[in-house]
């Protein structure tokens, strides 16, 4: 059974319960969306043998006074806080059957700011795509890029559409309609990671490999090459594109040799496809355990994910998506010794 603790006061107490959370952090607001994220996070905490910290946040609204005296009036936050604590209690009850240590806290402040601060110490941050009210509902709204793009640890977004694979039900009419249209989608025990030749993508590959190992899953490196446009418009003939694909295959094979040197027991495969990287990854998310991408790239597609086309992957994915921030990793140093790298000139 889970060890349950609720710490409504962000300042903590004398026992030190208010210290920065470590392990897996998940944001909840009581919606079906956050329930899916909560279940995914609890399973991940169990896989990693790490503690789970459940958090909800609220801001007390301030209203301009309409009387002659002017000034401002604030709402008593006791009712709001009681509601937030009830959400946490419901969340704690939901994960009580997992073999993990769990605690929870109510935070007063902007939701995205609260979670970003927690990523300074957390191992992983998990949240839903939408919700109701002031917490998860804002995470992928006007601040859709803030959390994945600026978080200090990897983030996982869990869409409501994949709730059935987590044993969760929903009455959301849009989700139900899409499920009826697409039918049952069997989930392969595969972790897909997008690669584009950037060092940021190689960092994402290392994180994806670790995740595949936890799941005893196959790691699939996907490189999608869009049709001629923008920087590719200079390609003069189809033969050049065929040569490009041949070069990429050689470089992907070298990448496989590199990753297997660090994860020797891992099954690794590659997929080189012709088409829109965003479309390819969104479609893959329907039937794999996890899609992993980096926060930036130089060329290919990772550079687009959290820029103007962030909606394409984070808002339209049909399964969990992990975004891995750029960071130093000593394992990157030996990659050149395994052969040519994507992105080499």
């Amino acid at each position: 059974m889970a060890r349950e603790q609720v710490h409504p006061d962000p300042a903590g107490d004398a026992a030190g319960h208010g210290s920065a959370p470590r392990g897996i952090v998940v944001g909840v607001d009581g919606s079906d969306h956050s329930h899916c994220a909560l279940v995914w996070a609890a399973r991940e905490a169990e896989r990693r043998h790490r503690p789970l910290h459940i958090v909800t946040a609220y801001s007390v609204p301030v209203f301009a006074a309409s009387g002659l005296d002017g000034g401002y009036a604030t709402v008593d936050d006791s009712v709001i806080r009681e509601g937030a604590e009830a959400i946490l209690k419901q969340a704690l009850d939901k994960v009580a059957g997992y073999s993990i240590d769990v605690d929870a806290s109510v935070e007063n402040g902007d939701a995205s700011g609260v979670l970003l601060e927690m990523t300074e110490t957390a191992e992983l941050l998990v949240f839903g795509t939408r919700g109701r009210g002031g917490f998860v509902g804002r995470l992928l709204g006007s601040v859709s890029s803030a959390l994945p793009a600026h978080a200090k640890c990897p983030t996982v977004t869990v869409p409501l559409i994949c709730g059935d694979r987590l044993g969760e039900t929903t009455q959301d009419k849009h989700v139900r309609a899409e499920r009826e249209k697409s039918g049952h989608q069997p989930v392969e025990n595969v972790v897909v990671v997008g690669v584009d030749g950037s060092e940021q993508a190689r960092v994402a590959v290392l994180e994806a490999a670790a995740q595949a190992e936890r799941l005893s899953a196959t790691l699939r490196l996907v490189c999608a090459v869009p049709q001629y446009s923008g920087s590719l418009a200079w390609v003069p003939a189809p033969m050049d594109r065929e040569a490009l694909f041949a070069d990429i295959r050689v470089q992907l094979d070298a990448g496989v040799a590199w990753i297997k040197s660090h994860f020797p027991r891992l099954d690794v495969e590659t997929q080189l496809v012709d088409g829109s990287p965003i479309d390819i990854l969104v479609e893959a998310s329907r039937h794999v355990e996890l899609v992993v991408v980096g926060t930036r790239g130089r060329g290919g597609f990772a550079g687009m994910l959290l820029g103007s086309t962030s909606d394409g992957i984070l808002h339209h994915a049909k399964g969990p998506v992990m975004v891995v921030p750029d960071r130093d990793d000593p394992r990157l140093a030996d990659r050149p010794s395994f052969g040519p790298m994507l992105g080499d000139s």
Side-chain angles (χ1 to χ4, degrees):
M1 295 292 288
R3 174 176 58 84
E4 300 182 2
Q5 300 174 348
V6 180
H7 311 308
D9 182 2
D13 55 26
H17 292 315
S19 59
R22 299 184 182 276
I24 314 298
V25 173
V26 59
V28 299
D29 70 348
S31 67
D32 289 347
H33 297 80
S34 70
H35 286 166
C36 284
L38 175 64
V39 171
W40 194 95
R43 293 184 179 185
E44 186 65 15
E46 199 167 54
R47 277 191 290 267
R48 298 191 185 199
H49 306 289
R50 301 292 291 151
L52 177 68
H53 181 77
I54 306 170
V55 61
T56 193
Y58 71 96
S59 297
V60 178
V62 178
F63 300 95
S66 58
L68 294 177
D69 57 344
Y72 293 88
T74 61
V75 175
D76 184 352
D77 75 345
S78 59
V79 174
I80 301 175
R81 179 172 285 274
E82 287 174 4
E85 291 175 2
I87 287 172
L88 288 187
K89 181 61 168 63
Q90 180 187 35
L92 287 165
D93 290 343
K94 194 171 188 66
V95 300
Y98 290 88
S99 300
I100 53 177
D101 284 348
V102 184
D103 68 357
S105 65
V106 175
E107 305 289 339
N108 190 340
D110 175 76
S112 58
V114 165
L115 290 184
L116 281 176
E117 185 175 350
M118 289 185 173
T119 65
E120 295 281 353
T121 57
E123 183 175 316
L124 184 71
L125 172 65
V126 184
F127 49 90
T129 51
R130 290 182 298 278
R132 66 164 75 97
F135 186 68
V136 180
R138 299 183 56 193
L139 295 185
L140 291 180
S142 61
V143 293
S144 61
S145 297
L147 286 171
H150 300 292
K152 303 302 182 184
C153 70
T155 62
V156 172
T157 310
V158 184
L160 183 58
I161 187 75
C162 71
D164 54 348
R165 67 170 84 172
L166 297 168
E168 291 296 299
T169 59
T170 180
Q171 298 303 313
D172 186 287
K173 61 181 181 181
H174 301 293
V175 170
R176 293 170 68 89
E178 184 165 351
R179 284 178 181 168
E180 291 175 4
K181 180 180 179 180
S182 60
H184 176 67
Q185 295 283 339
V187 178
E188 299 177 82
N189 192 26
V190 172
V191 172
V192 163
V193 57
V195 295
D196 74 339
S198 66
E199 186 149 300
Q200 291 88 348
R202 285 189 278 275
V203 171
V205 168
L206 290 168
E207 188 67 38
Q211 188 67 19
E213 198 166 68
R214 293 184 195 102
L215 292 166
S216 298
T218 296
L219 177 66
R220 181 179 299 158
L221 279 61
V222 174
C223 182
V225 182
Q227 294 297 319
Y228 304 143
S229 63
S231 62
L232 291 178
W234 56 267
V235 178
M239 184 58 69
D240 291 322
R241 192 167 179 83
E242 291 176 10
L244 172 65
F245 271 64
D247 287 344
I248 291 175
R249 288 190 184 96
V250 171
Q251 295 159 11
L252 284 173
D253 288 344
V256 170
W258 167 66
I259 200 66
K260 284 187 71 68
S261 73
H262 295 287
F263 297 86
R265 294 184 298 275
L266 189 64
D267 290 331
V268 185
E269 61 186 38
T270 62
Q271 183 178 8
L272 177 58
V273 291
D274 195 339
S276 161
I278 301 301
D279 292 345
I280 296 299
L281 290 182
V282 167
E283 181 60 28
S285 71
R286 292 180 181 274
H287 49 78
V288 299
E289 289 287 350
L290 183 69
V291 170
V292 182
V293 295
T295 52
R296 295 184 298 280
R298 60 167 78 95
F301 63 89
M304 304 190 313
L305 293 181
L306 294 178
S308 60
T309 60
S310 61
D311 285 351
I313 182 65
L314 291 176
H315 288 211
H316 298 293
K318 309 306 178 184
V321 175
M322 176 185 288
V323 178
V324 182
D326 187 23
R327 58 191 179 194
D328 293 328
D329 192 305
R331 293 172 292 184
L332 296 171
D334 63 2
R335 172 59 185 88
S337 65
F338 288 86
M341 298 189 293
L342 290 170
D344 284 348
S345 55

